[in-house]
Amino acid sequence: MNALLIVLLVVVVVVIVAGLALTPMLNKRGDAAIERAHELVGGKDAVKVIEPKATGFGTEPDEAGGLRGMGVLAAGPDQIAFVTWAPQKEFSIDRGAITKVGTAADDPTAVQKTMIQITYTDPSEGEVLAQFRIGRDLGDWLDELGYDWGPEGRPAPATEDDADS
């Protein structure tokens, strides 16, 4: 029993040390991806919204070049850019080509994370659907991309009083 406890303790210590050693490297890759996303949308001052920990789910059709994996999603006045952390690859959408913005959730205000679905026209592929999951500022992203909230507009954020009712 004592040997098992010692082995378990050693494994836990090794995992903690490895995590601490890898964190700066991951942060460095994330920072490099953020810088590249800034460049692609026209510079840091041009960024309208940014999600440093977005997940790309590619495009339909795959041939349109969408990326999968963890990365940075940034929107500027003319471009939407997605840059993966490692290896660093990039994908851009011309904002003028966007034809529709939607979400995977029926009610985007009721979920913390959901998929943003951007439909756009690509000269060689025709209509393309790109999908990204973001975890925060969902309403800001949807507003920036021109999401249709319906006739009543964007709902007010829920308050603690609403949750108690």
Side-chain angles (χ1 to χ4, degrees):
M1 184 68 174
N2 285 339
L4 182 62
L5 189 58
I6 291 171
V7 170
L8 182 61
L9 184 61
V10 168
V11 169
V12 169
V13 168
V14 168
V15 168
I16 291 171
V17 169
L20 292 173
L22 292 176
T23 298
M25 183 176 63
L26 290 174
N27 287 340
K28 185 176 178 181
R29 288 182 177 180
D31 291 344
I34 290 170
E35 288 302 315
R36 182 62 185 142
H38 286 161
E39 293 170 14
L40 290 172
V41 299
K44 190 174 185 175
D45 294 336
V47 173
K48 304 281 188 183
V49 286
I50 190 166
E51 174 58 53
K53 292 183 180 177
T55 304
F57 286 86
T59 54
E60 293 175 19
D62 289 335
E63 295 78 23
L67 300 173
R68 297 178 188 273
M70 176 69 85
V72 177
L73 183 64
D78 302 319
Q79 293 287 321
I80 297 170
F82 181 68
V83 180
T84 58
W85 283 26
Q88 192 177 84
K89 295 181 181 179
E90 53 194 57
F91 171 72
S92 295
I93 300 171
D94 181 16
R95 290 198 56 172
I98 295 174
T99 58
K100 181 181 173 189
V101 175
T103 68
D106 291 333
D107 181 4
T109 61
V111 293
Q112 265 189 331
K113 292 183 178 182
T114 191
M115 204 92 77
I116 291 180
Q117 301 168 326
I118 302 171
T119 305
Y120 66 98
T121 304
D122 181 90
S124 61
E125 297 297 329
E127 187 171 271
V128 177
L129 174 66
Q131 300 183 90
F132 305 95
R133 178 175 291 146
I134 64 168
R136 57 182 181 185
D137 303 328
L138 178 62
D140 294 342
W141 269 96
L142 293 173
D143 287 343
E144 180 61 34
L145 296 176
Y147 179 74
D148 182 8
W149 291 97
E152 296 179 14
R154 181 177 174 182
T159 63
E160 288 183 25
D161 293 339
D162 294 338
D164 293 339
S165 302

